[in-house]
Amino acid sequence: MNGAKLCALFHGVGFKNELRELDDQNILKAKFKGLKHAIYDLSYTDYIFTTSEFFKKKFYNQQYNAKLNSIAVTGQPRNDALFENGQPYPAEKTILYLPTFRENKDGQIRLEKIINELLGFTKLNDLLKKYDYTLLIKPHYLTKIHKAKWFSNIQILNDTDVTDIQTLLARVGMLITDYSSVIGDFALLDRPIIFYSYDLEEYCANNHMHPAYMEVLSDTYVKNNEELYSVLEMLFQGSIDYHRTVDAVNSYINAKSLRNGGYCSNVCQYLIGKLGL
């Protein structure tokens, strides 16, 4: 790169443990991966930007060529799109469901079943209509949607419908997800987050989730469509405190001083200081 400094603005870290973070580093797969990264690694960077001390340590543990003193806690520039003059954009009466793509075939088939059942959930559509909310489901592009038509207040978003996910998040009133790092972005808005982790035990066993993930699951953790219905009804009625979940997410993912935007400026100031510009 002719001496250029490489800066990484990563998608996110999340609570999933990567190969380097596993207890057994002597397995053959880990050794081969370590050798490959030692010889040639596209992920090499001079500076990495993240959102908290917890994630700084996690990034250092899971990223092969990361140096601890090159990881800066500045917030993620993409999240400036959530704020205007330091305040979150007004929330619309929409709920966004962003499920994590399952890498194994059986897990993906089960996810597709969940989504298609939601699209035909008459009682849920009636509840949404009663409180004037719309549920937007944005699945991975490889997820198969079997229903050709769906209800007025439950809709599918395709990739062509979403030009920028951060702009969409800025306007959403509630988020439903499971294991996605999007929870860190959305928690900055201090709005309800529902964890629809219907396959929690199986997913955690296969994907080595960090213990902190279990600590953010509380009043808004649901395991099936009926529980999702009940939690949404309580949120609409104001009879459930969602702040405990949001506060738990923020305590790990977003430093207290980094919850009101200004992340692009933070990154620029850091680089100006480091490079002596």
Side-chain angles (χ1 to χ4, degrees):
M1 296 293 288
N2 296 318
K5 298 294 184 182
L6 303 181
C7 303
L9 305 178
F10 282 92
H11 163 271
V13 180
F15 287 112
K16 186 191 296 186
N17 286 337
E18 301 296 337
L19 184 61
R20 285 192 71 207
E21 295 176 294
L22 306 186
D23 293 331
D24 184 3
Q25 286 298 298
N26 294 317
I27 60 176
L28 191 60
K29 184 178 179 181
K31 288 185 175 181
F32 273 118
K33 189 171 183 181
L35 179 62
K36 179 183 77 107
H37 280 259
I39 297 172
Y40 179 72
D41 186 4
L42 284 171
S43 68
Y44 172 81
T45 55
D46 293 285
Y47 303 111
I48 296 171
F49 301 100
T50 190
T51 58
S52 69
E53 289 297 327
F54 172 79
F55 269 13
K56 178 177 180 177
K57 181 179 179 181
K58 197 170 188 302
F59 232 124
Y60 174 67
N61 288 337
Q62 75 179 44
Q63 197 72 16
Y64 278 89
N65 287 319
K67 297 178 178 62
L68 195 61
N69 62 1
S70 69
I71 305 173
V73 180
T74 59
Q76 290 287 358
R78 66 174 180 268
N79 287 329
D80 276 342
L82 305 178
F83 299 92
E84 185 177 35
N85 299 322
Q87 296 297 319
Y89 279 97
E92 297 175 356
K93 301 189 77 172
T94 53
I95 306 162
L96 180 62
Y97 180 26
L98 288 175
T100 303
F101 181 75
R102 271 47 172 190
E103 295 181 0
N104 66 82
K105 183 178 179 181
D106 290 341
Q108 186 59 19
I109 289 173
R110 188 176 176 190
L111 173 60
E112 290 169 359
K113 184 174 184 290
I114 292 283
I115 292 175
N116 283 285
E117 286 177 351
L118 279 174
L119 291 173
F121 198 173
T122 307
K123 187 170 73 167
L124 176 60
N125 191 71
D126 291 343
L127 177 71
L128 294 165
K129 190 179 295 185
K130 177 181 177 180
Y131 289 94
D132 196 26
Y133 268 84
T134 300
L135 172 61
L136 305 173
I137 303 175
K138 174 61 183 73
H140 189 276
Y141 72 94
L142 292 177
T143 300
K144 297 176 182 177
I145 304 302
H146 303 296
K147 295 186 72 65
K149 297 181 180 180
W150 39 84
F151 292 119
S152 58
N153 291 58
I154 304 176
Q155 301 174 14
I156 287 287
L157 291 179
N158 297 308
D159 282 357
T160 53
D161 301 316
V162 183
T163 56
D164 176 30
I165 192 67
Q166 302 307 112
T167 302
L168 177 61
L169 285 176
R171 304 291 186 177
V172 167
M174 300 183 193
L175 176 71
I176 305 171
T177 189
D178 37 38
Y179 314 105
S180 173
S181 60
V182 73
I183 59 172
D185 298 353
F186 196 75
L188 291 168
L189 299 173
D190 193 26
R191 296 171 189 169
I193 300 173
I194 298 174
F195 284 90
Y196 193 175
S197 307
Y198 57 83
D199 56 351
L200 179 63
E201 185 174 339
E202 175 188 336
Y203 192 91
C204 289
N206 293 333
N207 294 276
H208 309 282
M209 297 296 287
H210 192 284
Y213 178 76
M214 304 302 294
E215 296 180 19
V216 305
L217 303 180
S218 56
D219 303 316
T220 58
Y221 160 49
V222 302
K223 300 182 290 296
N224 53 57
N225 286 346
E226 287 295 338
E227 289 185 3
L228 175 63
Y229 175 93
S230 297
V231 167
L232 282 173
E233 186 174 38
M234 287 188 286
L235 285 169
F236 293 153
Q237 294 172 349
S239 60
I240 186 171
D241 182 10
Y242 64 86
H243 291 97
R244 184 163 64 164
T245 298
V246 175
D247 290 345
V249 172
N250 275 324
S251 69
Y252 285 105
I253 299 181
N254 297 304
K256 284 187 178 180
S257 61
L258 297 173
R259 298 181 187 173
N260 296 103
Y263 311 121
C264 289
S265 176
N266 293 344
V267 169
C268 289
Q269 291 302 315
Y270 175 85
L271 291 174
I272 287 170
K274 280 288 183 180
L275 302 176
L277 300 176

